Amino acid sequence: MTTRIKPQLPQLRLFQLLSSNLPVGAFSYSQGLEWAVEAQWVHDAESLQAWLLELLQGQMQQQELPLLDRMFQACAQQDMAQLAHWSDELLACRETSELRAEEINRGRALTQVLISLEMPGVIERKQLLDRCQLAGFAWACHAWGIGRSECLSGFAWAWLENTVLAAVKTIPLGQSAGQQTLFKLSEQLPECAAGAMEIEIQDIGYASLAVAFASAAHETQYTRLYRS
C-alpha cells in the first residue's frame, strides 16, 4: 500500500509566492534584457545562458539574495529599522529610473496581495513594505513559516523563470529551448542561495554595467514590449 505524503503548508505558500499568477506585474519587466536582445548581445540560447549565469553568480548571489537574507532576518527579529535600512540599500543599488520604479511598483503590488490575504502585520507596515518587493517577500516568507534557504532559492527561481520567459518572447526563443535553459541554470540556485548566506555585510554589492547600460538604453528604445 502506497503512503501518501502531504506537502507541508509552508511549501505550498512558497509556491503561491512564486506563481506567475501572483499579480505583482513580473511579466511586465525584462530588466534590460529586451534592449540586450535589440543590441544582439543576447541572440540565442547560448548567449542567453551566458547572460543569465553571469547575473546569477554575480548580481543575484552577491547582491539580491544577501539583501533578501538580511531582510528575512530582520522580519524574524521584528526589527523594522533594519528592514527599512536594507530596503534603502536595495533601492540604492538600482542604477536606473526603470529598475528603481520596477522595484517600487512590484513592492506596492505585493503588499496589496498580502493585505488581500489578510496577512498579520502588513497593514501596519504598509508604508515600509511598499518600498521594495524584497521586503514584502521576506515578510511573507517569515509569516508563512518558509525557511531562510527556501526563501532565497525560491526568489532566485522566480527571477530566473521570469527572465527566461521574457527571452522566449523577445529573441524569440522556442518554448523547448527556454525550458532547457531554465532546467540547466536552475542547478545553480542551491549553491547561489548557500553562497549568499555566507557573504559578509561589507561584501554585499555587485556592479552589473551591462544591465545598467541596457536598462538605461531601454528607457528610449523605439519599440518595446516591457516596462524595463
Side-chain angles (χ1 to χ4, degrees):
M1 179 176 172
T2 303
T3 301
R4 289 182 175 270
I5 301 176
K6 296 182 179 179
Q8 296 297 310
L9 188 57
Q11 183 183 38
L12 296 177
R13 293 293 183 247
L14 179 60
F15 292 162
Q16 185 169 0
L17 276 176
L18 305 182
S19 172
S20 58
N21 290 323
L22 196 71
V24 295
F27 63 89
S28 301
Y29 305 100
S30 77
Q31 299 183 347
L33 179 62
E34 187 171 22
W35 191 89
V37 172
E38 177 76 14
Q40 287 293 295
W41 292 358
V42 178
H43 53 85
D44 57 14
E46 184 177 353
S47 57
L48 174 64
Q49 288 182 22
W51 175 272
L52 294 177
L53 184 60
E54 168 67 23
L55 292 179
L56 276 173
Q57 295 177 340
Q59 182 173 314
M60 189 60 61
Q61 183 171 324
Q62 303 293 325
Q63 178 175 287
E64 307 296 305
L65 296 186
L67 289 173
L68 176 59
D69 188 36
R70 264 63 182 189
M71 292 184 199
F72 181 90
Q73 294 181 64
C75 292
Q77 297 163 8
Q78 296 293 298
D79 190 337
M80 297 303 100
Q82 279 297 301
L83 183 59
H85 169 74
W86 293 117
S87 296
D88 287 342
E89 288 286 324
L90 176 67
L91 289 175
C93 291
R94 297 295 183 247
E95 301 98 330
T96 68
S97 61
E98 278 195 351
L99 294 176
R100 194 171 298 111
E102 173 186 351
E103 188 66 52
I104 295 170
N105 290 337
R106 291 174 70 165
R108 290 171 178 165
L110 180 56
T111 301
Q112 286 302 125
V113 171
L114 300 182
I115 289 174
S116 73
L117 296 175
E118 300 181 348
M119 179 172 288
V122 176
I123 292 178
E124 298 88 335
R125 297 167 178 83
K126 182 179 184 301
Q127 186 174 3
L128 172 56
L129 299 180
D130 273 347
R131 293 163 70 177
C132 65
Q133 183 188 13
L134 266 67
F137 192 89
W139 184 268
C141 284
H142 169 67
W144 282 337
I146 297 166
R148 180 182 168 199
S149 178
E150 290 76 15
C151 170
L152 269 60
S153 57
F155 182 84
W157 164 267
W159 170 83
L160 180 61
E161 182 182 39
N162 182 69
T163 311
V164 169
L165 289 175
V168 168
K169 295 178 182 178
T170 55
I171 290 178
L173 198 67
Q175 291 286 347
S176 293
Q179 288 300 311
Q180 290 166 4
T181 299
L182 188 58
F183 183 81
K184 182 175 181 179
L185 291 179
S186 62
E187 296 176 354
Q188 304 290 326
L189 299 186
E191 182 178 349
C192 185
M197 290 190 289
E198 297 297 325
I199 292 179
E200 300 293 337
I201 290 177
Q202 67 271 14
D203 296 325
I204 295 176
Y206 185 79
S208 180
L209 297 181
V211 171
F213 187 90
S215 176
H218 185 265
E219 293 176 3
T220 56
Q221 189 170 334
Y222 182 66
T223 58
R224 57 185 189 175
L225 297 173
Y226 295 94
R227 297 174 63 184
S228 75

